[in-house]
Amino acid sequence: MKGVPGGFVNDVAPVSGGVAYVTDSFKPVVYRVARSEGRWPMRPWLDVRAAGIDWTDGEHNLNGVISVGRHLLAVQSNTGQLWRVDPASREVAEVDLGGELLRNGDGLAWRDGRLYVSRGNLFDTPGAQARVAVVAMDPGLASGRLVTGLVPPEGFQHPSAVALTGGSDPRLLRSR
């Protein structure tokens, strides 16, 4: 896949119907991938600035993205904001996290009403520790509450993805 020159195609959220949405961390665009004439072109789909998301050139902006129900959720690494995107209308709204931020947010996973957000130390913040934030989300995905931070096993300095397997219990990571 090739995005806008100078961009950094980052994360992919497959949705139903063979469509996927892709973030670009260095360019203010979300791409849409869908089959067309036997090919799978990746085309700019959402102008992030026009959608109301503040953008800082030269930093990791939109990063992790996931499909949950009829929405997409995307985390903005540099600000810690979580965004809800409606693919049907392209409406974008910030998720109310009660004043909490998911700074350094990267990969996302979903299970049973909870969003798992890998948070490495992307910006080399002194004293920051890699962790996986666990956010209890309301059913409409308009708000969420940070319930815990799970610390990955030793040696993970910058986890960039989260995977929840069938029988695993995410509480096996140490809570902090």
Side-chain angles (χ1 to χ4, degrees):
M1 290 191 286
K2 185 175 181 181
V4 174
F8 179 62
V9 173
N10 200 320
D11 212 345
V12 180
V15 299
S16 63
V19 173
Y21 294 91
V22 182
T23 56
D24 189 320
S25 292
F26 289 162
K27 295 294 180 182
V29 63
V30 173
Y31 303 98
R32 183 176 187 270
V33 179
R35 188 178 181 112
S36 174
E37 299 175 10
R39 301 187 54 168
W40 293 90
M42 185 172 80
R43 296 191 172 111
W45 173 78
L46 180 69
D47 179 325
V48 172
R49 284 184 174 136
I53 297 175
D54 288 333
W55 196 267
T56 304
D57 289 327
E59 292 186 10
H60 281 81
N61 288 268
L62 283 188
N63 200 329
V65 63
I66 193 168
S67 175
V68 179
R70 65 179 193 90
H71 289 99
L72 301 173
L73 292 174
V75 66
Q76 189 170 358
S77 295
N78 60 339
T79 66
Q81 293 167 286
L82 183 64
W83 300 96
R84 184 186 69 192
V85 180
D86 182 337
S89 66
R90 298 185 197 196
E91 181 180 321
V92 176
E94 184 176 359
V95 175
D96 178 2
L97 297 175
E100 295 285 342
L101 294 173
L102 300 169
R103 189 161 160 76
N104 299 325
D106 203 333
L108 305 178
W110 178 265
R111 180 184 285 161
D112 299 331
R114 291 181 182 234
L115 180 69
Y116 295 80
V117 183
S118 66
R119 298 175 69 190
N121 194 3
L122 189 63
F123 301 102
D124 296 323
T125 306
Q129 184 178 23
R131 63 186 60 242
V132 176
V134 182
V135 182
M137 298 294 296
D138 81 272
L141 306 177
S143 64
R145 178 177 51 85
L146 186 64
V147 293
T148 192
L150 305 172
V151 179
E154 298 300 323
F156 283 93
Q157 294 178 355
H158 179 74
S160 61
V162 178
L164 303 174
T165 59
S168 68
D169 183 347
R171 291 174 294 176
L172 293 176
L173 300 174
R174 293 181 287 135
S175 292
R176 287 240 177 121

